[in-house]
Amino acid sequence: MSFFLIQMNFDGKDIISIKDFSKKEINFILEKAKEMLPYAKGEKYKDILKGKILSTLFFEPSTRTRLSFESAMNRLGGRVIGFADPSATSQKKGESLADTIRMADSYSDAIVIRHPQEGAARLAAEFANSPVLNAGDGAGRHPTQCLLDLFTIQTEKKKINKKKIVLVGDLKYGRTVHSLAYALALYGANLSFVSPANLKMPKEVNNECKKLGVEPTHSSNLEKAIKDADVLYVTRIQKERFPDAEEYNKVVGSYKIDNEMLKNAKRSLIVMHPLPRVVEIDPEVDNTSHALYFKQAFNGVPTRMALLSLSSGVTL
Ligand code: CP
């Protein structure tokens, strides 16, 4: 596992969970992401990953994570192999995940994997010599999304400590908020969790926050939570994770952010969403100064450029 964060003694580590990183290490990655911004925008070019190959193995649908990883690799002169449709791979013939990983490992220098099963990225890392970057494992974790979210908040708000951050929506199945809640607690944010009663943040994540000295508030009242918030992080109700369609139908549309909902918010409130959105943010919000979700999605490119370059042992 030589393709990794050499300046912070990350040799041999994979990116499976944000909990694999200390605050100092996260700050270091965010600093590198900032340096990557002009390269991510195509204003500057350096082929520091020339000769490197990245495997992108997507066993679940994706737009942003896969394309931003591919863009990041291409922007730095590297190449990408992989698949977005597992039914067109030998998995269809019964090949195991372990063997698929062994193959990708022998064909490339790093592996990005998205998989519907929680723990799949951790398992993949056991069968790969090159680093494995978790692009989302079921309802588990999504560490690179977490890093780009932190990058976005830090860039927009200058600091995270003491900022009031409201996480709203499907906090039970939404893997992005599981990683983010932990990381925000690490930075000492003031956390407020808003969800329907049956989609509350898992106890495990709540306890992680408490251990870090942050006591999140829990409620189902979004209007009240928004009032003095600095960041509103909205999530989609994760239809694909519900064991029962009836249960999904009961909660879909529980929260809808529109201009009326935001009328008493701080002028400086930013609205974030990992995307895709379905019904939870009205398109009328897109044209307001609150809407940060498209910029947030773009920030996936510099953040993933930072991760890919650091893990290859080269910097700008
Ligand atoms: N945020 C995110 O993971 O988006 P995609 O599912 O489109 O990759």
Side-chain angles (χ1 to χ4, degrees), residues 141 177-178 181-182 201-210:
R141 302 280 167 162
V177 283
H178 298 163
Y182 169 85
M201 188 66 90
K203 267 203 181 99
E204 178 208 337
V205 179
N206 204 47
N207 289 341
E208 285 169 357
C209 295
K210 285 186 184 170

Side-chain angles (χ1 to χ4, degrees), residues 12 15-16 18-19 36 60 66 86 96 119 139 146 150 154 171 184-185 199 248 252 260 273 312:
I15 304 178
I16 305 300
I18 196 68
K19 290 194 283 181
M36 287 292 177
E60 267 196 340
R66 187 170 68 83
S96 66
C146 179
L150 291 176
Q154 203 170 65
L171 306 186
L184 292 172
L199 293 178
Y248 172 75
V252 65
E260 174 66 20
H273 191 308
S312 71

Side-chain angles (χ1 to χ4, degrees), residues 61-66 114 142 145 274-276:
S62 167
T63 298
R64 278 145 292 275
T65 311
R66 187 170 68 83
R114 170 170 289 188
H142 197 347
Q145 175 73 43
L275 303 177

Side-chain angles (χ1 to χ4, degrees), residues 277-314:
R277 67 174 153 180
V278 188
V279 294
E280 57 280 359
I281 300 180
D282 192 297
E284 71 182 13
V285 179
D286 298 359
N287 298 321
T288 71
S289 61
H290 299 300
L292 244 290
Y293 27 92
F294 296 124
K295 191 171 178 188
Q296 174 190 359
F298 164 75
N299 284 340
V301 181
T303 306
R304 290 171 175 131
M305 286 170 88
L307 290 169
L308 292 171
S309 69
L310 288 168
S311 62
S312 71
V314 287

Side-chain angles (χ1 to χ4, degrees), residues 2-174:
S2 56
F3 196 78
F4 234 75
L5 303 175
I6 54 168
Q7 292 181 55
M8 297 291 291
N9 196 21
F10 274 87
D11 278 355
K13 276 191 83 176
D14 306 289
I15 304 178
I16 305 300
S17 165
I18 196 68
K19 290 194 283 181
D20 298 340
F21 299 88
S22 68
K23 190 173 159 187
K24 195 172 159 192
E25 290 160 346
I26 295 172
N27 282 335
F28 176 74
I29 295 165
L30 301 186
E31 200 49 47
K32 292 292 165 191
K34 193 173 163 191
E35 286 173 23
M36 287 292 177
L37 266 174
Y39 298 86
K41 291 176 183 166
E43 294 163 2
K44 289 184 178 178
Y45 180 68
K46 251 190 187 177
D47 56 355
I48 58 173
L49 293 185
K50 192 174 177 183
K52 297 283 185 191
I53 297 176
L54 175 69
S55 284
T56 55
L57 314 183
F58 279 72
F59 293 86
E60 267 196 340
S62 167
T63 298
R64 278 145 292 275
T65 311
R66 187 170 68 83
L67 296 184
S68 63
F69 260 117
E70 294 194 1
S71 174
M73 196 64 184
N74 280 290
R75 291 277 193 208
L76 293 173
R79 294 184 176 217
V80 181
I81 58 173
F83 56 82
D85 177 7
S87 71
T89 73
S90 288
Q91 195 200 29
K92 192 80 178 161
K93 301 178 221 163
E95 185 163 60
S96 66
L97 176 64
D99 283 359
T100 304
I101 295 298
R102 285 185 178 106
M103 293 302 97
D105 194 35
S106 69
Y107 300 150
S108 61
D109 303 294
I111 297 170
V112 172
I113 179 172
R114 170 170 289 188
H115 200 280
Q117 277 171 2
E118 203 169 326
R122 183 87 60 199
L123 183 74
E126 287 178 23
F127 295 97
N129 291 313
S130 40
V132 171
L133 293 85
N134 182 6
D137 59 333
R141 302 280 167 162
H142 197 347
T144 67
Q145 175 73 43
C146 179
L147 287 163
L148 78 88
D149 292 341
L150 291 176
F151 179 71
T152 303
I153 298 171
Q154 203 170 65
T155 305
E156 298 300 319
K157 295 289 171 193
K158 307 303 167 217
K159 64 169 196 159
I160 299 172
N161 182 252
K162 303 252 189 294
K163 292 290 175 194
K164 180 173 175 185
I165 302 180
V166 178
L167 307 183
V168 61
D170 184 350
L171 306 186
K172 180 178 178 182
Y173 296 116

